[in-house]
Amino acid sequence: MMKLAIAETKLLTREPGALFSLLIPLFILVVFGSSIEPGDTVLLPMALAIAVGLVGLYLLPTTLATYRERGILRRLSTTPVRPGNLLVVQLLLQLVLAVTACGLLVAGAGTVLSAHLPTGVLPGVLVFLLGTAGMFAIGLLVAALAPSGRAANGIGVLLYFPMAYLAGLIQPTHQMPAIVARIGEYTPLGAFGQSLREVWAGSAPSPLPLGVMAVYALVISIAAAKFFRWE
C-alpha cells in the first residue's frame, strides 16, 4: 500500500489538473483580495469552496475514469495490489490536495492580505469535511458512470459551473433571483459555501446546510458504490 501511495503521489504531482486546482483559487484570491474590506466574510470562503469543487468535480473523476479506461484497474485485479487499494489511495491523495489548496488560501489570506479568519476551528473543520465528502461523492459517481476520462472531465465541468453559479461563487447570492438563490442552498456546493460564510462570520453553521451536505455525501456515495465498475 505504501509503495502504491508513493507511486500515485508522484503521478499526481505531474498532473496539470492538480496544479490547476491549486492555482485557480489562489489567482481569484489575489485578484480580488486587494479590494476586500476588513472583516470580509465572503471572498475567502468562496475561494475555499472553489478549491474543493475543482478537486472533487474535475480532478478526482477524471483520474479514476482514465485509470479504468486504460485498463489499469482491471490489471490490478490480477495482482496482490487490489483495485480497491488504488481507490482508497486516490481518495486520500485528493483529500490531501484539497487540504493543501485550502491551507495555502488561508495562509496567504491571513498573512499577505490580512484577511479575516474565523476563531472557531472545530466548526470550520466539520464544514470542510462535510463539504468535501459531498463533492467527492459526486466526483465518484461521475467516475462510475463516465465511459472515459475525457467524458468524466466534461461531465465534471458541466456540473461544476451550474453548481458554482447556484452557490453564489460566480455572482453574489443577493444579486440573484430569490428562487434561484433558494435552490442554490440545497445544492452541495451552495450548502458548503453558506456554511463557510457562517463560520467566517463567527456564528455556528446552520443545521440545514450541514444536513444537506451530509445527505448528499451519504446518498450519492451509495449510488457511486453501486454503479462503479473496475473495467
Side-chain angles (χ1 to χ4, degrees):
M1 181 72 86
M2 182 58 67
K3 291 182 179 179
L4 179 63
I6 294 173
E8 289 299 309
T9 300
K10 291 179 180 179
L11 291 174
L12 183 62
T13 57
R14 300 170 187 169
E15 171 60 48
L19 186 62
F20 177 83
S21 300
L22 290 173
L23 294 182
I24 291 299
L26 278 174
F27 174 77
I28 292 172
L29 186 66
V30 170
V31 168
F32 295 100
S34 59
S35 61
I36 63 173
E37 299 177 356
D40 178 78
T41 61
V42 175
L43 180 60
L44 186 50
M46 179 184 73
L48 294 173
I50 289 173
V52 174
L54 286 174
V55 175
L57 292 180
Y58 169 71
L59 192 58
L60 176 62
T62 301
T63 301
L64 293 179
T66 298
Y67 279 7
R68 184 179 61 241
E69 179 186 10
R70 294 178 178 175
I72 295 174
L73 299 181
R74 176 177 51 80
R75 289 195 294 271
L76 281 177
S77 64
T78 63
T79 71
V81 181
R82 309 301 297 177
N85 293 341
L86 177 62
L87 180 59
V88 171
V89 168
Q90 271 297 322
L91 286 173
L92 290 175
L93 287 179
Q94 302 292 345
L95 177 60
V96 169
L97 180 62
V99 170
T100 301
C102 291
L104 289 174
L105 289 169
V106 171
T111 55
V112 179
L113 301 178
S114 299
H116 169 72
L117 298 179
T119 55
V121 177
L122 290 180
V125 172
L126 173 63
V127 170
F128 172 81
L129 291 177
L130 283 176
T132 302
M135 300 312 298
F136 277 27
I138 297 175
L140 286 173
L141 183 59
V142 172
L145 298 176
S148 66
R150 181 173 296 182
N153 189 337
I155 294 171
V157 171
L158 287 176
L159 288 175
Y160 175 77
F161 283 103
M163 268 201 233
Y165 173 74
L166 291 172
L169 305 184
I170 297 176
Q171 180 180 1
T173 53
H174 67 271
Q175 297 179 2
M176 296 162 58
I179 183 63
V180 176
R182 186 64 176 171
I183 292 172
E185 295 176 2
Y186 291 91
T187 65
L189 199 55
F192 185 35
Q194 179 183 340
S195 294
L196 285 174
R197 290 191 292 270
E198 290 173 344
V199 170
W200 251 253
S203 60
S206 301
L208 179 60
L210 293 179
V212 168
M213 289 185 286
V215 169
Y216 271 104
L218 177 61
V219 173
I220 298 183
S221 292
I222 293 174
K226 179 179 180 180
F227 291 110
F228 197 86
R229 312 180 311 280
W230 297 114
E231 55 181 311

